[in-house]
Amino acid sequence: MIKLIDKNTNKINFGIHDKKIDFNWQDYVLHNFWDKKICRFKQKLAFHKFHFISFINDDYVIGLALVDVAIGKNIFGYIFHKTKGLCTKWQKAILNSQIIFSNDIDFNLVEFETKQMTLLIERNIDNALVTYHFKYKNIIVIDAQIELGFSHKPLRVVNPIDFEHWSFTEKRPGLKVKKINVIFNHKNLQLTPTNTLASTDWSGGFFRRNTNWIWANGATIINNDIIGFNFATFHNNALYPENAIWFNNQREHIRDIIFQWDYKEPYKEGMTVYTSDGRIHLHFKPLGQKNDINTRLFGKVKTNFRQFIGMYTGYITIDNKKIILPKFLGLFELHKALW
């Protein structure tokens, strides 16, 4: 196990970590613009985290997320069908006192329950399982369990953001689903462990108030092999990029990724993700989106978030082997926030 923060020196353990982490963020001492130590209360407000999980098969994309910006938390999600579009979406702001959202990445616990909504997430790194239970207004039920341990080679990186701020993220697309049951409008959707893959993101740290990123994520099965990728730019990638490709449980870190798209008309020609050396070239055609373009808390929090659901095609090269990818559903996200 490694400590995230050295309490004696205030140094952060930057890098890629394939082992347990003592996520002792509270031992870090944050300073303001003038290099003065800020009070513990303000430091606590500056620590933010979020968790996102998606379940994808040939027809459906189901997303579920929990965002914690200290002054409040937000649960949101959606069910998307590749021909019917966005079937439903949900979003609920909640008070800190209403929910447990632990900061332990390896033994994580989320508990929230009201008359309308229930959310339970339990993770134990030792048994390599994450369990999800979500219920909303007796209309939506998601019960699932995914396999996620160190043998699955999640990408865990700790990066400096600027002089004072830093972030941790764990990304892993293309995870096997041990069990899954999704009910929408009292109808059982056709998701099974054999036709569904999961992708997860757990991130936390002292982010800049102005936080931007572009993110591409997808996975598919070819001849019983699982190929997945996670690419990001603008954020968290100064020293240790969040870019990687997976072939089953083999992970290959990618240094540089290039994104091309028409920001004003993303549906016109879609998005392209590639490397300058030609090892990776993917095209994404958006079919729909879940967005959150809003101003909250009297302008203190602004979000311009567009998560596109669509079809990927193209190829990746891993271990010097070029793999042609057929059409498959995936995600592409444009995110701007002031929080």
Side-chain angles (χ1 to χ4, degrees):
M1 178 182 287
I2 64 164
K3 278 190 175 293
L4 184 65
I5 308 296
D6 186 324
K7 189 175 182 179
N8 296 320
T9 63
N10 206 40
K11 290 182 179 179
I12 304 106
N13 204 332
F14 296 125
I16 301 172
H17 302 298
D18 290 319
K19 58 180 66 176
K20 289 182 183 178
I21 295 177
D22 178 1
F23 203 82
N24 60 329
W25 70 273
Q26 68 279 2
D27 289 333
Y28 184 65
V29 178
L30 189 65
H31 299 81
N32 64 15
F33 183 84
W34 309 109
D35 302 322
K36 302 294 184 183
K37 178 180 169 182
I38 70 171
C39 69
R40 300 300 292 181
F41 177 72
K42 287 185 178 180
Q43 177 162 322
K44 188 175 181 181
L45 291 179
F47 182 81
H48 300 158
K49 60 184 183 292
F50 60 89
H51 178 61
F52 175 75
I53 179 74
S54 64
F55 301 99
I56 302 179
N57 70 359
D58 289 341
D59 296 310
Y60 286 98
V61 178
I62 297 167
L64 178 62
L66 172 59
V67 179
D68 177 1
V69 292
I71 53 177
K73 296 176 176 61
N74 186 27
I75 297 173
F76 71 87
Y78 58 85
I79 296 175
F80 185 93
H81 188 272
K82 70 177 182 181
T83 58
K84 299 176 184 177
L86 197 64
C87 301
T88 188
K89 62 180 180 179
W90 58 88
Q91 184 160 318
K92 183 174 180 59
I94 55 180
L95 300 174
N96 291 331
S97 59
Q98 294 177 300
I99 189 170
I100 295 172
F101 186 4
S102 71
N103 296 319
D104 190 334
I105 177 63
D106 292 322
F107 302 94
N108 196 244
L109 176 66
V110 174
E111 284 186 311
F112 172 72
E113 186 170 6
T114 64
K115 290 182 178 180
Q116 289 190 334
M117 183 180 288
T118 300
L119 175 63
L120 175 66
I121 304 174
E122 295 179 291
R123 179 181 186 181
N124 186 325
I125 196 72
D126 288 339
N127 62 19
L129 291 174
V130 189
T131 300
Y132 296 87
H133 173 70
F134 176 76
K135 187 176 181 181
Y136 181 54
K137 290 184 176 179
N138 293 319
I139 298 173
I140 301 161
V141 176
I142 302 171
D143 277 306
Q145 193 172 62
I146 65 173
E147 299 179 6
L148 178 55
F150 288 117
S151 64
H152 304 98
K153 292 291 184 180
L155 179 63
R156 295 176 144 197
V157 296
V158 183
N159 270 298
I161 295 177
D162 56 25
F163 293 102
E164 289 288 327
H165 299 82
W166 55 264
S167 68
F168 165 88
T169 190
E170 180 190 72
K171 301 286 202 306
R172 181 57 165 98
L175 290 167
K176 290 183 178 180
V177 175
K178 194 173 181 65
K179 65 177 183 180
I180 187 166
N181 182 45
V182 180
I183 298 172
F184 172 52
N185 279 340
H186 309 287
K187 180 182 178 182
N188 201 321
L189 303 186
Q190 298 302 308
L191 284 84
T192 67
T194 56
N195 73 6
T196 307
L197 294 174
S199 295
T200 185
D201 176 350
W202 197 105
S203 300
F206 295 100
F207 299 96
R208 286 189 300 247
R209 275 207 74 204
N210 192 354
T211 302
N212 308 308
W213 64 70
I214 307 172
W215 176 62
N217 180 280
T220 188
I221 302 173
I222 303 176
N223 297 326
N224 295 319
D225 293 315
I226 300 175
I227 294 92
F229 59 85
N230 184 90
F231 304 133
T233 192
F234 289 162
H235 181 60
N236 294 356
N237 64 346
L239 292 181
Y240 304 98
E242 297 177 16
N243 305 320
I245 51 181
W246 284 261
F247 183 84
N248 295 323
N249 290 325
Q250 174 190 353
R251 185 190 71 212
E252 192 169 315
H253 206 207
I254 305 297
R255 189 70 210 170
D256 299 307
I257 289 289
I258 303 166
F259 291 82
Q260 284 189 341
W261 80 103
D262 186 330
Y263 185 76
K264 292 185 179 180
E265 295 186 78
Y267 287 90
K268 188 176 181 180
E269 295 183 1
M271 296 80 161
T272 303
V273 187
Y274 64 98
T275 57
S276 57
D277 62 6
R279 291 179 58 209
I280 295 168
H281 194 281
L282 298 169
H283 183 261
F284 179 82
K285 180 182 179 181
L287 302 176
Q289 65 180 298
K290 161 68 172 70
N291 59 33
D292 180 11
I293 302 172
N294 218 326
T295 300
R296 300 179 178 88
L297 297 174
F298 307 102
K300 291 185 177 181
V301 176
K302 298 178 182 179
T303 54
N304 189 338
F305 158 86
R306 304 173 74 187
Q307 187 174 98
F308 296 93
I309 302 97
M311 304 297 294
Y312 277 103
T313 54
Y315 67 86
I316 65 171
T317 305
I318 187 166
D319 196 21
N320 295 317
K321 181 181 179 182
K322 185 176 180 179
I323 302 173
I324 306 298
L325 303 177
K327 283 186 178 181
F328 62 97
L329 283 168
L331 303 172
F332 190 100
E333 183 173 293
L334 304 175
H335 180 282
K336 297 190 293 184
L338 183 67
W339 53 354

